[in-house]
Amino acid sequence: MASTPTPDPAGPDTATPDPGTPDPGTPDTWDPQRYLAYADERGRPFVELVARIGAERPARVADLGCGPGNLTRLLAERWPAAYVTGVDASAAMIERAEADQQVDHPGIEWQLADAREWQPEAQLDVLVTNATLQWIPDHLALLPRLTGMLAPGGWFAMQVPGNFAEPSHTLRDEVAALPAFAEHTGTAQRPASHDAVDYLRALTALGLEADAWETTYLHVLRGPDAVFEWVRATGARPVLQALPDALRPAFEEEFKARLREAYPADEAGRVVLPFRRVFAVGRA
């Protein structure tokens, strides 16, 4: 992506979101520009996940839940001879990926499809799904279908957030439960995930040679209400979009105030956001 730096495995220690990005206009939509405001921090787990894939010369590689495609292009860079497919259920994300398509990666194809329904044209040598399965209820039940897409010796790699007990999410739900908002937010989608051992057991039971682990990143953020800017693009997005326009500003102000108390800034304006991530890699 021309306007997005390639994630570095070490990652920067600061980032500032773009405050000028408008709110999404329709329910259950994604804003690629807002999501990319923290592209480096969001990219670090992807880089570390892919580093654990041992495939040397895969012919077919897929990124299921590719978002705006900036990380999918890292797959094409690692395996330039592979045919790479980026799949996402958001039309806005696929449009952004296509708009930012790099001429030096002609082997990438973008497809608009739900992860629960997408089927590759041929067996895959590598299937990556990064920060996607947490949006699918009971996604452990989806693993047999996903790993069944692999060719013999193929690799499956996944990463999901594991920070849903942190204030960034619990405070969202506390505010959403207030009488002024509850009737609108009660059915809004909430992401969820399992522990590393659950994914390890699930993949092993499917016959894969599996490895699973977790990492808690300490993201150092800058800017006004930095944690709110982070979560509004992902975990808080469905709740915010469920609110009528007239109520959303009041919700945001209450949520911001609670987040500022939970994640205080230091004298230099830096805020530390602990973020747990859960990883699993398996080989068929």
Side-chain angles (χ1 to χ4, degrees):
M1 181 173 300
S3 61
T4 305
T6 300
D8 186 294
D13 65 352
T14 60
T16 302
D18 176 8
T21 306
D23 284 325
T26 58
D28 199 25
T29 59
W30 285 85
D31 185 328
Q33 185 173 342
R34 176 166 288 146
Y35 183 84
L36 288 167
Y38 291 115
D40 290 322
E41 286 82 358
R42 299 193 200 280
R44 283 182 63 188
F46 183 94
V47 171
E48 293 173 16
L49 174 68
V50 172
R52 302 290 285 270
I53 300 174
E56 296 182 359
R57 291 179 294 276
R60 288 186 172 269
V61 175
D63 183 6
L64 192 57
C66 65
N70 56 312
L71 299 175
T72 311
R73 281 184 276 279
L74 299 182
L75 301 178
E77 291 174 3
R78 175 170 174 181
W79 298 297
Y83 181 83
V84 179
T85 303
V87 182
D88 204 276
S90 166
M93 290 294 198
I94 292 296
E95 288 171 5
R96 178 64 182 257
E98 291 176 337
D100 290 342
Q101 176 67 62
Q102 301 292 317
V103 295
D104 56 339
H105 297 316
I108 302 180
E109 178 189 9
W110 309 105
Q111 294 185 11
L112 178 65
D114 190 302
R116 294 165 290 189
E117 301 173 357
W118 179 75
Q119 186 67 35
E121 296 180 358
Q123 288 184 310
L124 300 170
D125 300 298
V126 176
L127 174 57
V128 178
T129 179
N130 180 69
T132 295
L133 294 181
Q134 75 273 11
W135 292 105
I136 300 176
D138 193 25
H139 57 258
L140 286 178
L142 186 63
L143 294 183
R145 182 176 182 275
L146 298 181
T147 58
M149 298 176 182
L150 299 176
W155 292 79
F156 173 76
M158 59 165 287
Q159 180 272 128
V160 288
N163 65 329
F164 301 115
E166 293 298 314
S168 56
H169 289 76
T170 59
L171 293 177
R172 171 205 63 196
D173 290 340
E174 288 180 11
V175 179
L178 295 175
F181 312 120
E183 67 173 299
H184 304 287
T185 60
T187 60
Q189 184 182 19
R190 269 77 162 178
S193 64
H194 301 274
D195 291 332
V197 67
D198 298 311
Y199 297 112
L200 178 67
R201 289 170 177 164
L203 294 177
T204 301
L206 292 170
L208 278 70
E209 298 176 1
D211 183 23
W213 69 100
E214 65 178 66
T215 298
T216 297
Y217 298 89
L218 299 179
H219 296 306
V220 181
L221 311 180
R222 293 182 184 271
D225 296 306
V227 176
F228 174 77
E229 293 297 335
W230 178 292
V231 299
R232 77 186 303 181
T234 52
R237 178 188 57 86
V239 172
L240 290 169
Q241 292 179 348
L243 292 163
D245 292 344
L247 285 179
R248 192 176 299 118
F251 181 97
E252 291 184 354
E253 287 309 310
E254 180 64 26
F255 189 23
K256 287 178 183 178
R258 297 189 186 204
L259 287 173
R260 285 194 294 267
E261 184 175 354
Y263 300 95
D266 65 14
E267 294 180 355
R270 295 175 298 227
V271 175
V272 177
L273 174 65
F275 202 116
R276 175 175 174 255
R277 301 272 184 174
V278 180
F279 303 78
V281 172
R283 188 181 188 191

